[in-house]
Amino acid sequence: MANPIIFKRNIDIGAADAESDGTFLDECFVDNGDLDALMDCDNPKCIVLGRTGAGKTALLLQVQKQCEHVVELSPEALALSYVNNSQVLRFFEEAGVQLDVFYALLWRHILTVELLKLRYEINNAENQNLFLDRLANIFARDRVKERALKYLKEWGDQFWEETEYRTKEFTRKLEKDLTASANIDAKYITLGAEGAQRLSAEEVIEVRNRGMRVVNSVQVKELHDVISLLSENVFDNKQKRYYIIIDRLDEDWVGDRVRFKLIKALIETLKTFKKIHGVKIIVALRTDLHYRVINETPSSGFQEEKYRSFYLNLKWTRGQLTELLERRVSFMFKRQYTRQDVGLKDIMPSNQIDQRTAVDYILDRTFFRPREAIIYLNECISRAEGQSKITVALLRQAEVRYSQQRLQSLADEWRRDYPNLLTSANLLIRRDIPFNLSEIPETDVESLVISILEKSQRQDEISLAADMALNGKKTMNEFLQVIVGIHYAVGLLGVKPAPHIGRQWSYLDQPFLTDGQLNNTIQIDVHKTFWASLGCIRRGKGAYTGTD
C-alpha cells in the first residue's frame, strides 16, 4: 500500500458484549439467517437459545432497531424479585400449594397489559379512559367481551404505570386472598417457609386445600376472554407488527427456586399468545439455563417436544464468523485510518500455522461464538501497536492471555452451577492429550479430591462427588467420571466415544454425556481454547505454551 497501515494504541474491532458494541454492531451486523425468522410473527420461533457470547442480545437489538412497535422487559422492570421475596407465597408453597397456575397467569397479565399499552400508546389516565370507553361502546352487548372489559377495568386501572406496579398489584391480590383463606394465626404466614414448617400435619393439609382453591379460582376465564379480544378485535391490522422482548433471564434477578418456575411458566405462556396475529413475544435464554429449567421443574402437563418449534438455536459457521471479523476489520480501518478497503488478508500473517490459516487458527480456539473471535483478534491487535501486520509470533503471544481469560470466563459463566470448576480444571494441567480415564494416575485424582474439598467455595456437584470419593461412597474412577462429564458439558473437554464416531463437543453436538458413554476407553481431548492456559502436552510435541 502507498500508505502502510500502522496499528495505533487503543483500537479494536468492537466490544465483546452487545450492549457496549453499539457502533460496530450497527455497521457490521452479520445475519446468519435468524433475524428474518425472529421478526416474522407467523414464524413460531420465539425462544432464542445460545450459550454466552453466541449473539442473543445482538440479535434482539437488531429486532428493536428494525421494527417500529417494540418494548423490552427486563427482569428488574418486571419486579419479579417481589414474587421471589414474598413470605406469603413461600409459606403456602412450603405447605404444598402449587403456584404454577399463578405464575402462568402473572405472565399473561403482564404481557396482555404491555401489548395494550403498546397498541394504544396508553401512557396516561386520559388515554386509558379513552381506550376503555371505546371498547365498552363496541362490545356493550357481547357478554364474552364484557367479561374481558371487566377484567381490564379491575386489573388495568393504571395502565400507564410501570410494569413493576402491575406485577406487585397482581401478586398482592393473591397474597391477600391466600392469607384470608388460611384459618390459622397470621404470625405463621409472616414467617414464610419457616412458619409452614411449624404447623401440625392436620393444619398443613387444611392450609394446602384452602390455598389450592384460592389459586385455582384466579380469573382464568376472564383472562382467556381478554386474549380472545386481543386476537379478534385489537390486533386485527395485518400491516402492523408488535413485539415484546424479554432478555437477561440468566442474570441473578431472583433465586433459582422461583426463577426456574417463572421461566417455565413463561415458556408455557408463549403458546397462548401465538394465536394473536401480528404479535410476537421473544425470549432469550442461555442453552444451559433452558436445560435446567426443563429438567428441574417437572410437571405432568408439560411436554417439552410441543415447544421445540419455538426454539431458535443460534449456530455460527466458520464462514459466517470469518465474515463477521472481515466486516469489523474493514470498519475499524475506515474509522481510524483510511477510506481504503482493508480486510483480514491485509493484517493477518499469510503463512500457515500448524497447517491452518491464521483466521482458522483463531476460530479453532473458539466455541464458534462471535464474542470469542472478537476477543482473540482484539488481543492480537493490541499487541501489534506500531506495526503494520499481525505476525505469527504476535498471534501466539496473544493466545496465551486469551486462553487464560477464556478459562476464567468459563468459570464465571458456570459459577452458579459449578463454583469449583476452576479447581477441578487443575486435573488437566500439563496433561498428555488426547487421553482416556485409565491413563490418569489415581494419586492425581486423590490429590484433586483433597484440593477441591480444601478450596471449595460452596457445595456443588463437584464438591459433593469429591466428598463421596473421600468417604468411600464413590470410587476414584466414579469421581473422575463426574468431573469429565461436567468438563464436557461446559466445553473444556471433547470426547470420541468410539473409533468410528468423530470427536464430539457440547456446543456442537449433544450438550451432556450419558453415564453409559463415560468409560475408561473413551478418548478425551482438551479444547484448543485452553491448551495455552493449561499447558497441555500434545503427544510427541511437548507442553503447549502458545509459542511453539
Side-chain angles (χ1 to χ4, degrees):
M1 293 184 182
N3 298 308
I5 297 164
I6 301 295
F7 286 102
K8 298 178 183 177
R9 181 175 299 184
N10 298 323
I11 64 165
D12 54 44
I13 59 167
D17 62 298
E19 294 89 342
S20 307
D21 195 38
T23 304
F24 276 89
L25 190 58
D26 287 343
E27 297 293 334
C28 310
F29 178 75
V30 174
D31 181 12
N32 59 7
D34 292 331
L35 185 58
D36 285 343
L38 203 57
M39 293 194 303
D40 183 357
C41 291
D42 294 326
N43 189 312
K45 296 189 181 302
C46 59
I47 302 175
V48 183
L49 296 177
R51 286 184 60 168
T52 299
K56 299 184 296 297
T57 299
L59 188 60
L60 299 188
L61 287 172
Q62 283 299 307
V63 174
Q64 291 179 268
K65 179 184 176 182
Q66 298 193 27
C67 300
E68 184 177 356
H69 306 289
V70 185
V71 62
E72 181 182 7
L73 301 179
S74 68
E76 295 86 354
L78 290 167
L80 296 175
S81 59
Y82 181 86
V83 179
N84 178 66
N85 297 331
S86 169
Q87 291 292 79
V88 176
L89 298 187
R90 288 189 177 189
F91 171 84
F92 283 93
E93 275 199 297
E94 184 66 25
V97 176
Q98 297 295 320
L99 295 179
D100 295 1
V101 172
F102 164 71
Y103 294 139
L105 290 173
L106 177 60
W107 280 117
R108 287 192 193 185
H109 179 72
I110 290 171
L111 297 174
T112 295
V113 176
E114 287 298 328
L115 284 172
L116 288 171
K117 281 182 65 178
L118 191 62
R119 168 68 176 83
Y120 290 102
E121 299 180 357
I122 302 173
N123 50 26
N124 55 50
E126 183 180 357
N127 286 355
Q128 173 196 280
N129 292 332
L130 288 173
F131 157 69
L132 291 174
D133 290 344
R134 176 183 176 187
L135 291 186
N137 291 332
I138 296 174
F139 306 123
R141 297 181 180 179
D142 189 319
R143 188 170 298 176
V144 172
K145 300 301 190 300
E146 283 181 348
R147 282 201 304 265
L149 284 170
K150 181 181 178 183
Y151 178 92
L152 291 176
K153 288 178 179 179
E154 179 179 352
W155 287 104
D157 60 336
Q158 296 188 39
F159 273 98
W160 67 92
E161 292 283 359
E162 296 295 331
T163 312
E164 175 183 2
Y165 172 87
R166 283 185 295 281
T167 301
K168 291 180 178 179
E169 177 190 42
F170 197 85
T171 305
R172 283 171 183 152
K173 186 177 187 307
L174 179 67
E175 289 175 325
K176 181 180 177 181
D177 292 345
L178 283 172
T179 301
S181 74
N183 187 28
I184 59 168
D185 193 324
K187 69 179 182 181
Y188 290 110
I189 299 177
T190 60
L191 291 173
E194 182 185 346
Q197 291 166 4
R198 295 184 181 184
L199 300 179
S200 67
E202 293 77 11
E203 288 174 323
V204 168
I205 293 172
E206 184 176 2
V207 167
R208 182 189 305 148
N209 292 338
R210 287 171 177 266
M212 286 305 301
R213 283 198 293 270
V214 170
V215 172
N216 291 331
S217 67
V218 177
Q219 295 163 305
V220 179
K221 180 61 178 174
E222 287 81 353
L223 190 49
H224 177 78
D225 293 337
V226 172
I227 293 173
S228 295
L229 182 149
L230 297 183
S231 177
E232 297 169 15
N233 304 101
V234 174
F235 294 94
D236 52 358
N237 186 339
K238 295 183 179 180
Q239 303 305 314
K240 290 187 177 182
R241 298 288 183 265
Y242 298 85
Y243 303 87
I244 293 179
I245 290 174
I246 304 175
D247 194 7
R248 296 165 49 205
L249 291 173
D250 56 335
E251 296 181 3
D252 294 331
W253 41 281
V254 294
D256 286 349
R257 180 186 64 85
V258 171
R259 183 168 68 135
F260 290 170
K261 293 179 180 179
L262 283 167
I263 293 175
K264 177 79 163 292
L266 174 59
I267 292 173
E268 294 179 293
T269 302
L270 293 175
K271 196 169 186 178
T272 302
F273 285 86
K274 293 306 295 181
K275 66 179 68 172
I276 306 176
H277 298 293
V279 166
K280 197 161 196 178
I281 316 296
I282 300 173
V283 177
L285 283 177
R286 250 175 51 183
T287 306
D288 58 286
L289 175 60
H290 171 258
Y291 179 88
R292 287 190 64 192
V293 166
I294 298 301
N295 285 275
E296 296 190 24
T297 56
S299 57
S300 57
F302 183 84
Q303 294 178 294
E304 197 261 343
E305 62 268 18
K306 291 184 178 180
Y307 296 86
R308 287 178 188 162
S309 63
F310 290 6
Y311 301 157
L312 181 67
N313 290 287
L314 292 188
K315 291 185 178 179
W316 292 81
T317 66
R318 191 176 293 269
Q320 290 164 348
L321 288 174
T322 302
E323 181 185 356
L324 180 146
L325 295 178
E326 190 80 59
R327 289 191 186 186
R328 286 173 174 262
V329 166
S330 178
F331 183 65
M332 177 188 71
F333 280 103
K334 286 179 180 178
R335 290 181 71 206
Q336 299 285 339
Y337 300 101
T338 173
R339 303 306 298 175
Q340 189 171 352
D341 193 21
V342 177
L344 284 169
K345 62 178 173 44
D346 300 307
I347 67 168
M348 300 298 286
S350 56
N351 48 317
Q352 291 198 332
I353 315 166
D354 296 343
Q355 300 180 327
R356 307 290 286 164
T357 67
V359 174
D360 282 335
Y361 186 90
I362 288 175
L363 296 181
D364 286 345
R365 284 150 179 79
T366 71
F367 290 174
F368 275 69
R369 298 182 288 193
R371 180 178 297 175
E372 297 153 342
I374 292 170
I375 289 174
Y376 195 157
L377 189 51
N378 274 341
E379 189 65 38
C380 293
I381 291 170
S382 72
R383 292 172 181 271
E385 180 186 346
Q387 301 189 39
S388 61
K389 207 174 186 71
I390 295 169
T391 64
V392 172
L394 287 176
L395 191 146
R396 287 192 181 276
Q397 290 170 20
E399 180 182 354
V400 177
R401 178 164 171 76
Y402 165 77
S403 181
Q404 292 168 344
Q405 289 177 334
R406 295 318 299 158
L407 184 59
Q408 182 60 56
S409 295
L410 190 74
D412 293 340
E413 177 184 345
W414 291 89
R415 191 173 304 281
R416 179 188 284 268
D417 300 314
Y418 308 120
N420 299 292
L421 179 64
L422 211 53
T423 303
S424 71
N426 290 339
L427 183 71
L428 305 174
I429 292 176
R430 300 185 65 82
R431 181 69 53 194
D432 288 343
I433 52 174
F435 64 91
N436 56 51
L437 296 182
S438 62
E439 294 181 69
I440 301 179
E442 188 165 307
T443 53
D444 287 3
V445 184
E446 291 171 350
S447 296
L448 178 63
V449 166
I450 295 170
S451 178
I452 287 172
L453 294 175
E454 287 178 345
K455 298 179 181 179
S456 181
Q457 300 177 28
R458 60 178 172 82
Q459 198 172 64
D460 69 335
E461 188 177 347
I462 291 173
S463 61
L464 285 173
D467 185 64
M468 293 177 73
L470 188 66
N471 294 316
K473 296 179 181 178
K474 277 185 183 292
T475 66
M476 288 298 168
N477 192 61
E478 288 172 335
F479 164 76
L480 192 55
Q481 289 181 5
V482 171
I483 297 300
V484 169
I486 291 171
H487 285 184
Y488 172 85
V490 303
L492 261 175
L493 300 178
V495 300
K496 186 174 173 59
H500 64 283
I501 299 176
R503 188 164 281 108
Q504 297 185 353
W505 302 95
S506 60
Y507 61 92
L508 294 176
D509 306 294
Q510 58 177 336
F512 297 91
L513 295 176
T514 63
D515 291 339
Q517 291 175 301
L518 289 166
N519 56 62
N520 287 345
T521 62
I522 188 173
Q523 190 183 87
I524 301 167
D525 206 349
V526 176
H527 196 281
K528 289 182 179 181
T529 297
F530 311 105
W531 281 10
S533 56
L534 295 172
C536 292
I537 301 171
R538 293 178 296 172
R539 295 186 184 274
K541 294 192 176 182
Y544 187 83
T545 63
T547 58
D548 57 340

